[in-house]
Amino acid sequence: MKNMIVIAALVALILTLTFCAPAPTPTTTPIPSTLTPRAPTAAPTINRTLTLALSQEPDTLNPYLAAQRSAGEVHVFVIEGLLSVNAHGEFFPALAKEIPTKANGGVSSDGKTITYHLKEHVSWADGAPFTCADVQFTWQAVTNPQSGAVATTGYTDIAAVACPDPLTAVITFKNFYAPYLVPFWTILPKHATGDPAAMTKWDYNRNPLGTGPFKIVEWVSGDHITLARNENYRDAQAGKPQLDSILIRFVPSRDVALQLLQTGEVDIVWDLTEANLPQVAKMSNVAISAAPGPRAERLVLNLGDPTLDAPDAAQHPHPILGDVRVRQALELAINKREIVDKLLNGQAQIGTNELHTGWWTCDTTPSVFDPARARQLLDDAGWQTGADTIRAQGATRLRLKLQGPTGDAVREQVEQLLIEDWKAVGVQAYIENAPTSVLLGTWNSNGVARHGKYDLLMYSTGPYIDPHDQVAGYFLSANIPQASNRGAGYNYSRWSNPAADAAIQAAATSADPVTRRDAYCQAMAQVNRDLPQIYLYSRLTIAAYRDRLQNFSLNVWKNLGWNAAEWTMK
C-alpha cells in the first residue's frame, strides 16, 4: 500500500509538470510531394505536420494479423471500429450511432443478439460508402480458417451477422457472450481487401484503407510512414482532423527517439518507461502524461520443444522448461525488487499476474526472492552443479536463450540482471534480441513466438477494457498457434490447463461482473501455479511530447492517436 501511495504521488507530480521556457520557433517537416497541398487562403498558412517517433517498425498494419503493439500505433490514425474507448475507460460510439443496450433495443432479452445502427454518410477514405456489408465481411474474414487471422476471440462465438438494411448490423452469438461489445473493434473494407482465404497476401496489409481521420500515402521501409488528412472523413466539414499530416519516423531505439524529442525534431515519443522520466523532466517545452496502465513486463516461457516447428508441448516438452520445478526456480531466483528500484526509479509495481488493474483485479501476493529455495528445486529436478557452477542433467546443460525486442536499453539492463540472478543458482542464460517483427511476426513470416522456436521471451502486453480477449488469447489451450489454425492465438507458451480453460469459458458466459472476475482470478491462480509466464513488473503508461501539440489525451486503454482528430499544433 505504501508503494502504491508513493507511485500515485509521483504520477500526480508528473502529470502536473509544465515547462514555461519561451517556446522556440516550431520545427516543421515538409509534407511530401505525394500529398495534395491545401488550397491557399488570404492569411498565412501553417503546415501542421506532427512527427511521431516509433522504435519498432511493424511488419503488417492489418489489425487482425498484427501482433506488434507498434502496428496499432500506426493504424489507430486510419482504422476505426463500431465502438471505441475513451480515457475514462468508457465505450463510446465510433462508426455506430449508439452503444447497444437493452434499454434502446440494441441487446435482446437473452443477450445473444446485438443490433448496431450505423452512422449515416460515413465513407471509406476512397469515397466508397461504409455499410453493414463491411461489418459482415469483417466477421467472415476473421473466422475464415485459411485467413491466418490471429485475433479471433469473440468472432468465433458469433453464429451470424445479418444486414437487414445497409445501416443496420444484427450480430447473433451462439451463446451469451459477456464481452459482446468488444468484437468489431476494427472494421475491414469489403471492397478494398480481397479473398479472406488469402488475407496474408492482401495489399491492404501494407496500405490499409480506413474511415479514420488520416490515410496512408507512403511507407518507406526502415524509414517512415506518411499519413495525410482524410478528405472524406465524416467530420471533415467541421475542420477535423486539424493536422495536415503525420510523419511516423522509425528510429533504432527509445534513446534516439528521446534525443530527437529534445531537439524538437519529433513531437511525440512512444513507449517510454519509468527509467526515462528523470531525463524527460529536464527537457524544455516538453510535457509528460503518465498513469498506471494495464500492461505488464513479463517472461513468456516455452513449454514445448524449441527444436520442433509448433510443437505439442504435451507430446514434445521443452527439455528444460517442461519441468514446472525449473520454472518455479527461475522465478524464485529473480530479484524483482532490484529491477524496479535500480532500473525503474521505484515507480513500477512488482509483477503478480495478468490482471493487476481494472474491475477484474486479482489480488496476488508477489513472488518472493529466494535463491536457496530455487537451488533446492533444481536439485530435486535432477540438475546437478558442474565444475563451472552451471548445472547439467546428463549431457544437457541448464542453458537458456533469452530474447526481447532490439533497441530497448532498459530491457537490455533487465536482461543483464536476470542473467546474474540465474547464474547465482546455476542457470546459464544468454541474450539474443531481435526486432519485434521477428519475435512476434505472423505465422507466414515464421514468427519466433508463433512457431515455438524460443526458450524465453521478454516483452510487455496487457488487457483491453474488457480482459477476455487477453486472457483467452494468451491462456486458452485452443489459442495455441499451430498449423491447423494458421497460427491463431497468443498462447505462445503452448500451455494447456483444463481448469484454466473451464474458468476462462465460464467468465465469458456470465453477465455478472463479480462472477466473471472470480473466474478470471481462478485462471490466474492456475497461471501462477504452472508458470507459463513470469510477471516482472506492471508498468505506467507514459507519453512525452512537445508542448506545441495541443489536445493530446493519454488513454491507457488505447493507442497514442486514439483522439488524433482533435490534435492541433500551436
Side-chain angles (χ1 to χ4, degrees):
M1 181 63 71
K2 291 182 179 179
N3 286 339
M4 291 295 292
I5 295 171
V6 171
I7 289 174
L10 288 169
V11 171
L13 176 61
I14 291 166
L15 292 171
T16 58
L17 286 176
T18 54
F19 302 88
C20 302
T25 302
T27 301
T28 58
T29 304
I31 297 178
S33 59
T34 53
L35 305 187
T36 303
R38 302 182 72 186
T41 60
T45 60
I46 300 175
N47 177 16
R48 292 184 173 88
T49 295
L50 176 134
T51 303
L52 164 65
L54 207 61
S55 56
Q56 298 174 10
E57 181 175 5
D59 63 344
T60 179
L61 293 179
N62 183 327
Y64 293 105
L65 293 178
Q68 300 165 273
R69 287 180 50 232
S70 58
E73 297 299 339
V74 178
H75 69 59
V76 68
F77 296 105
V78 176
I79 306 172
E80 297 179 296
L82 297 182
L83 304 176
S84 189
V85 175
N86 64 24
H88 301 292
E90 303 163 334
F91 282 106
F92 69 89
L95 296 176
K97 292 178 69 173
E98 60 185 357
I99 299 171
T101 64
K102 288 187 176 180
N104 63 25
V107 179
S108 63
S109 58
D110 62 3
K112 292 168 58 176
T113 301
I114 313 300
T115 300
Y116 284 95
H117 297 287
L118 310 181
K119 289 181 178 177
E120 301 173 351
H121 311 301
V122 174
S123 298
W124 295 95
D126 63 357
F130 161 70
T131 70
C132 174
D134 299 303
V135 180
Q136 186 181 61
F137 174 77
T138 298
W139 169 65
Q140 294 169 341
V142 172
T143 57
N144 186 295
Q146 300 301 314
S147 70
V150 299
T152 61
T153 302
Y155 295 94
T156 53
D157 294 279
I158 294 172
V161 176
C163 297
D165 62 68
L167 294 180
T168 304
V170 180
I171 299 159
T172 303
F173 287 88
K174 300 171 186 175
N175 301 291
F176 175 73
Y177 183 68
Y180 57 81
L181 295 178
V182 175
F184 303 101
W185 57 281
T186 55
I187 302 296
L188 300 170
K190 181 177 181 179
H191 72 288
T193 47
D195 180 359
M199 181 189 284
T200 59
K201 300 178 181 178
W202 287 353
D203 291 339
Y204 170 94
N205 300 340
R206 193 167 174 87
N207 186 24
L209 184 74
T211 56
F214 295 91
K215 61 183 180 181
I216 293 177
V217 295
E218 184 181 47
W219 184 348
V220 178
S221 295
D223 194 79
H224 70 274
I225 291 176
T226 303
L227 310 176
R229 296 179 77 236
N230 174 11
E231 61 272 17
N232 290 314
Y233 184 54
R234 60 185 173 277
D235 289 335
Q237 295 300 316
K240 296 179 182 179
Q242 299 188 57
L243 297 178
D244 295 311
S245 62
I246 295 176
L247 179 65
I248 299 174
R249 288 183 58 177
F250 304 131
V251 297
S253 69
R254 188 184 291 122
D255 291 335
V256 171
L258 287 172
Q259 292 172 9
L260 296 173
L261 179 70
Q262 184 166 14
T263 61
E265 295 175 72
V266 303
D267 298 291
I268 188 167
V269 174
W270 170 72
D271 195 35
L272 294 182
T273 73
E274 294 82 351
N276 303 124
L277 290 174
Q279 177 186 356
V280 178
K282 297 176 183 178
M283 295 182 185
S284 299
N285 306 107
V286 170
I288 303 171
S289 290
R295 291 186 297 116
E297 190 79 6
R298 80 279 309 280
L299 294 170
V300 179
L301 286 67
N302 187 3
L303 276 56
D305 186 342
T307 66
L308 302 178
D309 185 39
D312 180 334
Q315 297 296 322
H316 303 283
H318 193 289
I320 298 173
L321 298 174
D323 189 332
V324 68
R325 292 171 294 184
V326 175
R327 303 196 295 272
Q328 292 169 340
L330 290 177
E331 181 169 45
L332 289 167
I334 299 172
N335 190 341
K336 297 180 184 180
R337 172 54 61 192
E338 181 184 31
I339 292 173
V340 169
D341 290 346
K342 186 174 181 179
L343 301 181
L344 302 169
N345 301 309
Q347 296 185 43
Q349 285 292 294
I350 291 176
T352 56
N353 67 76
E354 192 72 42
L355 305 179
H356 60 269
T357 187
W359 60 263
W360 54 79
T361 298
C362 300
D363 293 327
T364 302
T365 302
S367 63
V368 297
F369 173 50
D370 192 345
R373 176 61 179 154
R375 294 187 190 97
Q376 183 61 57
L377 284 167
L378 294 174
D379 288 341
D380 294 344
W383 294 95
Q384 302 302 312
T385 303
D388 61 354
T389 73
I390 301 303
R391 294 173 180 265
Q393 195 176 81
T396 303
R397 286 172 62 82
L398 215 174
R399 188 170 188 263
L400 297 166
K401 179 166 62 177
L402 174 60
Q403 296 177 277
T406 52
D408 193 320
V410 173
R411 280 197 180 102
E412 291 170 359
Q413 292 174 315
V414 173
E415 288 172 329
Q416 292 296 337
L417 290 182
L418 291 175
I419 287 175
E420 292 173 10
D421 286 345
W422 289 334
K423 185 177 180 181
V425 298
V427 178
Q428 183 182 44
Y430 66 99
I431 299 169
E432 193 175 290
N433 292 334
T436 54
S437 58
V438 173
L439 299 179
L440 305 176
T442 63
W443 179 262
N444 281 12
S445 67
N446 292 314
V448 167
R450 296 199 177 280
H451 285 267
K453 296 294 189 69
Y454 72 96
D455 294 327
L456 301 162
L457 294 179
M458 185 171 71
Y459 61 92
S460 177
T461 185
Y464 184 53
I465 189 62
D466 189 289
H468 190 74
D469 278 16
Q470 181 78 4
V471 174
Y474 270 93
F475 302 111
L476 203 62
S477 58
N479 285 324
I480 295 174
Q482 51 195 310
S484 61
N485 63 18
R486 296 292 302 276
Y490 302 100
N491 189 342
Y492 302 140
S493 295
R494 325 198 81 76
W495 178 60
S496 181
N497 180 302
D501 284 351
I504 294 168
Q505 298 288 17
T509 56
S510 173
D512 178 32
V514 175
T515 299
R516 292 187 68 202
R517 182 200 63 203
D518 290 347
Y520 287 131
C521 292
Q522 290 171 24
M524 291 305 99
Q526 294 297 313
V527 171
N528 284 347
R529 188 196 73 168
D530 289 355
L531 293 179
Q533 297 193 24
I534 293 173
Y535 296 89
L536 299 176
Y537 56 90
S538 55
R539 298 180 55 178
L540 296 176
T541 299
I542 305 169
Y545 52 97
R546 304 293 300 183
D547 60 10
R548 61 190 175 218
L549 170 60
Q550 303 291 293
N551 300 330
F552 174 81
S553 177
L554 186 70
N555 186 341
V556 301
W557 306 109
K558 296 288 285 183
N559 304 98
L560 290 176
W562 75 279
N563 71 330
E566 312 293 333
W567 291 0
T568 189
M569 307 280 283
K570 71 176 181 179

